[in-house]
mmCIF file with all atom_site columns, all heavy atoms in Angstrom:
data_model
loop_
_atom_site.group_PDB
_atom_site.id
_atom_site.type_symbol
_atom_site.label_atom_id
_atom_site.label_alt_id
_atom_site.label_comp_id
_atom_site.label_asym_id
_atom_site.label_entity_id
_atom_site.label_seq_id
_atom_site.pdbx_PDB_ins_code
_atom_site.Cartn_x
_atom_site.Cartn_y
_atom_site.Cartn_z
_atom_site.occupancy
_atom_site.B_iso_or_equiv
_atom_site.pdbx_formal_charge
_atom_site.auth_seq_id
_atom_site.auth_comp_id
_atom_site.auth_asym_id
_atom_site.auth_atom_id
_atom_site.pdbx_PDB_model_num
ATOM 1  N N   . ASN D 1 6  ? -48.024 49.761 25.182  1.00 0.00 ? 34  ASN D N   1
ATOM 2  C CA  . ASN D 1 6  ? -48.331 49.094 23.928  1.00 0.00 ? 34  ASN D CA  1
ATOM 3  C C   . ASN D 1 6  ? -48.125 50.017 22.748  1.00 0.00 ? 34  ASN D C   1
ATOM 4  O O   . ASN D 1 6  ? -47.645 49.636 21.691  1.00 0.00 ? 34  ASN D O   1
ATOM 5  C CB  . ASN D 1 6  ? -49.777 48.578 23.931  1.00 0.00 ? 34  ASN D CB  1
ATOM 6  C CG  . ASN D 1 6  ? -49.903 47.322 24.769  1.00 0.00 ? 34  ASN D CG  1
ATOM 7  O OD1 . ASN D 1 6  ? -48.911 46.682 25.056  1.00 0.00 ? 34  ASN D OD1 1
ATOM 8  N ND2 . ASN D 1 6  ? -51.117 46.988 25.161  1.00 0.00 ? 34  ASN D ND2 1
ATOM 9  N N   . TYR D 1 12 ? -42.606 51.603 17.691  1.00 0.00 ? 40  TYR D N   1
ATOM 10 C CA  . TYR D 1 12 ? -41.205 51.184 17.584  1.00 0.00 ? 40  TYR D CA  1
ATOM 11 C C   . TYR D 1 12 ? -41.019 50.167 16.479  1.00 0.00 ? 40  TYR D C   1
ATOM 12 O O   . TYR D 1 12 ? -40.175 50.300 15.592  1.00 0.00 ? 40  TYR D O   1
ATOM 13 C CB  . TYR D 1 12 ? -40.766 50.605 18.930  1.00 0.00 ? 40  TYR D CB  1
ATOM 14 C CG  . TYR D 1 12 ? -39.297 50.317 19.011  1.00 0.00 ? 40  TYR D CG  1
ATOM 15 C CD1 . TYR D 1 12 ? -38.406 51.302 19.422  1.00 0.00 ? 40  TYR D CD1 1
ATOM 16 C CD2 . TYR D 1 12 ? -38.790 49.059 18.682  1.00 0.00 ? 40  TYR D CD2 1
ATOM 17 C CE1 . TYR D 1 12 ? -37.060 51.039 19.514  1.00 0.00 ? 40  TYR D CE1 1
ATOM 18 C CE2 . TYR D 1 12 ? -37.452 48.804 18.763  1.00 0.00 ? 40  TYR D CE2 1
ATOM 19 C CZ  . TYR D 1 12 ? -36.582 49.795 19.185  1.00 0.00 ? 40  TYR D CZ  1
ATOM 20 O OH  . TYR D 1 12 ? -35.246 49.527 19.259  1.00 0.00 ? 40  TYR D OH  1
ATOM 21 N N   . GLN D 1 35 ? -26.346 41.450 -10.581 1.00 0.00 ? 63  GLN D N   1
ATOM 22 C CA  . GLN D 1 35 ? -26.645 40.038 -10.365 1.00 0.00 ? 63  GLN D CA  1
ATOM 23 C C   . GLN D 1 35 ? -27.163 39.395 -11.638 1.00 0.00 ? 63  GLN D C   1
ATOM 24 O O   . GLN D 1 35 ? -26.799 38.278 -11.986 1.00 0.00 ? 63  GLN D O   1
ATOM 25 C CB  . GLN D 1 35 ? -27.672 39.883 -9.251  1.00 0.00 ? 63  GLN D CB  1
ATOM 26 C CG  . GLN D 1 35 ? -27.139 40.327 -7.913  1.00 0.00 ? 63  GLN D CG  1
ATOM 27 C CD  . GLN D 1 35 ? -28.238 40.396 -6.884  1.00 0.00 ? 63  GLN D CD  1
ATOM 28 O OE1 . GLN D 1 35 ? -29.414 40.206 -7.185  1.00 0.00 ? 63  GLN D OE1 1
ATOM 29 N NE2 . GLN D 1 35 ? -27.868 40.670 -5.654  1.00 0.00 ? 63  GLN D NE2 1
ATOM 30 N N   . ASN D 1 38 ? -24.393 38.727 -13.904 1.00 0.00 ? 66  ASN D N   1
ATOM 31 C CA  . ASN D 1 38 ? -23.653 37.534 -13.511 1.00 0.00 ? 66  ASN D CA  1
ATOM 32 C C   . ASN D 1 38 ? -24.327 36.269 -14.007 1.00 0.00 ? 66  ASN D C   1
ATOM 33 O O   . ASN D 1 38 ? -23.678 35.345 -14.507 1.00 0.00 ? 66  ASN D O   1
ATOM 34 C CB  . ASN D 1 38 ? -23.525 37.466 -11.990 1.00 0.00 ? 66  ASN D CB  1
ATOM 35 C CG  . ASN D 1 38 ? -22.502 38.436 -11.467 1.00 0.00 ? 66  ASN D CG  1
ATOM 36 O OD1 . ASN D 1 38 ? -21.561 38.773 -12.152 1.00 0.00 ? 66  ASN D OD1 1
ATOM 37 N ND2 . ASN D 1 38 ? -22.701 38.889 -10.241 1.00 0.00 ? 66  ASN D ND2 1
ATOM 38 N N   . GLU D 1 42 ? -22.846 33.569 -16.772 1.00 0.00 ? 70  GLU D N   1
ATOM 39 C CA  . GLU D 1 42 ? -22.616 32.154 -16.508 1.00 0.00 ? 70  GLU D CA  1
ATOM 40 C C   . GLU D 1 42 ? -23.210 31.314 -17.617 1.00 0.00 ? 70  GLU D C   1
ATOM 41 O O   . GLU D 1 42 ? -22.595 30.376 -18.113 1.00 0.00 ? 70  GLU D O   1
ATOM 42 C CB  . GLU D 1 42 ? -23.246 31.783 -15.174 1.00 0.00 ? 70  GLU D CB  1
ATOM 43 C CG  . GLU D 1 42 ? -22.740 30.452 -14.689 1.00 0.00 ? 70  GLU D CG  1
ATOM 44 C CD  . GLU D 1 42 ? -23.602 29.921 -13.575 1.00 0.00 ? 70  GLU D CD  1
ATOM 45 O OE1 . GLU D 1 42 ? -24.786 30.296 -13.490 1.00 0.00 ? 70  GLU D OE1 1
ATOM 46 O OE2 . GLU D 1 42 ? -23.076 29.109 -12.808 1.00 0.00 ? 70  GLU D OE2 1
ATOM 47 N N   . ARG A 2 64 ? -40.904 42.754 25.297  1.00 0.00 ? 84  ARG A N   1
ATOM 48 C CA  . ARG A 2 64 ? -41.850 41.817 24.696  1.00 0.00 ? 84  ARG A CA  1
ATOM 49 C C   . ARG A 2 64 ? -41.526 41.493 23.238  1.00 0.00 ? 84  ARG A C   1
ATOM 50 O O   . ARG A 2 64 ? -41.880 40.449 22.737  1.00 0.00 ? 84  ARG A O   1
ATOM 51 C CB  . ARG A 2 64 ? -43.263 42.383 24.800  1.00 0.00 ? 84  ARG A CB  1
ATOM 52 C CG  . ARG A 2 64 ? -43.747 42.471 26.227  1.00 0.00 ? 84  ARG A CG  1
ATOM 53 C CD  . ARG A 2 64 ? -45.168 42.085 26.277  1.00 0.00 ? 84  ARG A CD  1
ATOM 54 N NE  . ARG A 2 64 ? -45.931 43.151 25.635  1.00 0.00 ? 84  ARG A NE  1
ATOM 55 C CZ  . ARG A 2 64 ? -47.101 43.560 26.064  1.00 0.00 ? 84  ARG A CZ  1
ATOM 56 N NH1 . ARG A 2 64 ? -47.646 43.015 27.122  1.00 0.00 ? 84  ARG A NH1 1
ATOM 57 N NH2 . ARG A 2 64 ? -47.739 44.521 25.436  1.00 0.00 ? 84  ARG A NH2 1
ATOM 58 N N   . GLN A 2 83 ? -27.100 39.574 -1.015  1.00 0.00 ? 103 GLN A N   1
ATOM 59 C CA  . GLN A 2 83 ? -27.229 40.315 -2.262  1.00 0.00 ? 103 GLN A CA  1
ATOM 60 C C   . GLN A 2 83 ? -25.864 40.803 -2.746  1.00 0.00 ? 103 GLN A C   1
ATOM 61 O O   . GLN A 2 83 ? -25.560 40.765 -3.936  1.00 0.00 ? 103 GLN A O   1
ATOM 62 C CB  . GLN A 2 83 ? -28.154 41.523 -2.064  1.00 0.00 ? 103 GLN A CB  1
ATOM 63 C CG  . GLN A 2 83 ? -29.593 41.147 -1.759  1.00 0.00 ? 103 GLN A CG  1
ATOM 64 C CD  . GLN A 2 83 ? -30.234 40.477 -2.943  1.00 0.00 ? 103 GLN A CD  1
ATOM 65 O OE1 . GLN A 2 83 ? -30.140 40.942 -4.066  1.00 0.00 ? 103 GLN A OE1 1
ATOM 66 N NE2 . GLN A 2 83 ? -30.892 39.360 -2.698  1.00 0.00 ? 103 GLN A NE2 1
ATOM 67 N N   . LYS A 2 86 ? -24.010 37.944 -4.289  1.00 0.00 ? 106 LYS A N   1
ATOM 68 C CA  . LYS A 2 86 ? -24.552 37.571 -5.597  1.00 0.00 ? 106 LYS A CA  1
ATOM 69 C C   . LYS A 2 86 ? -24.118 38.554 -6.666  1.00 0.00 ? 106 LYS A C   1
ATOM 70 O O   . LYS A 2 86 ? -24.006 38.209 -7.837  1.00 0.00 ? 106 LYS A O   1
ATOM 71 C CB  . LYS A 2 86 ? -26.093 37.559 -5.548  1.00 0.00 ? 106 LYS A CB  1
ATOM 72 C CG  . LYS A 2 86 ? -26.691 36.330 -4.916  1.00 0.00 ? 106 LYS A CG  1
ATOM 73 C CD  . LYS A 2 86 ? -28.090 36.081 -5.483  1.00 0.00 ? 106 LYS A CD  1
ATOM 74 C CE  . LYS A 2 86 ? -28.740 34.845 -4.895  1.00 0.00 ? 106 LYS A CE  1
ATOM 75 N NZ  . LYS A 2 86 ? -29.600 35.157 -3.726  1.00 0.00 ? 106 LYS A NZ  1
ATOM 76 N N   . ALA A 2 87 ? -23.879 39.806 -6.243  1.00 0.00 ? 107 ALA A N   1
ATOM 77 C CA  . ALA A 2 87 ? -23.506 40.796 -7.242  1.00 0.00 ? 107 ALA A CA  1
ATOM 78 C C   . ALA A 2 87 ? -22.011 40.783 -7.538  1.00 0.00 ? 107 ALA A C   1
ATOM 79 O O   . ALA A 2 87 ? -21.601 40.852 -8.688  1.00 0.00 ? 107 ALA A O   1
ATOM 80 C CB  . ALA A 2 87 ? -23.928 42.181 -6.762  1.00 0.00 ? 107 ALA A CB  1
ATOM 81 N N   . LYS A 2 94 ? -22.828 30.975 -5.478  1.00 0.00 ? 114 LYS A N   1
ATOM 82 C CA  . LYS A 2 94 ? -23.534 29.774 -5.916  1.00 0.00 ? 114 LYS A CA  1
ATOM 83 C C   . LYS A 2 94 ? -23.139 28.580 -5.073  1.00 0.00 ? 114 LYS A C   1
ATOM 84 O O   . LYS A 2 94 ? -23.958 27.721 -4.777  1.00 0.00 ? 114 LYS A O   1
ATOM 85 C CB  . LYS A 2 94 ? -23.220 29.488 -7.385  1.00 0.00 ? 114 LYS A CB  1
ATOM 86 C CG  . LYS A 2 94 ? -24.038 30.278 -8.323  1.00 0.00 ? 114 LYS A CG  1
ATOM 87 C CD  . LYS A 2 94 ? -24.600 29.476 -9.464  1.00 0.00 ? 114 LYS A CD  1
ATOM 88 C CE  . LYS A 2 94 ? -23.569 28.500 -9.958  1.00 0.00 ? 114 LYS A CE  1
ATOM 89 N NZ  . LYS A 2 94 ? -23.815 28.023 -11.263 1.00 0.00 ? 114 LYS A NZ  1
#
Side-chain angles (χ1 to χ4, degrees):
Chain D
N34 284 342
Y40 188 88
Q63 294 170 355
N66 285 332
E70 195 195 25
Chain A
R84 293 220 290 218
Q103 294 293 313
K106 281 207 179 94
K114 278 225 320 200

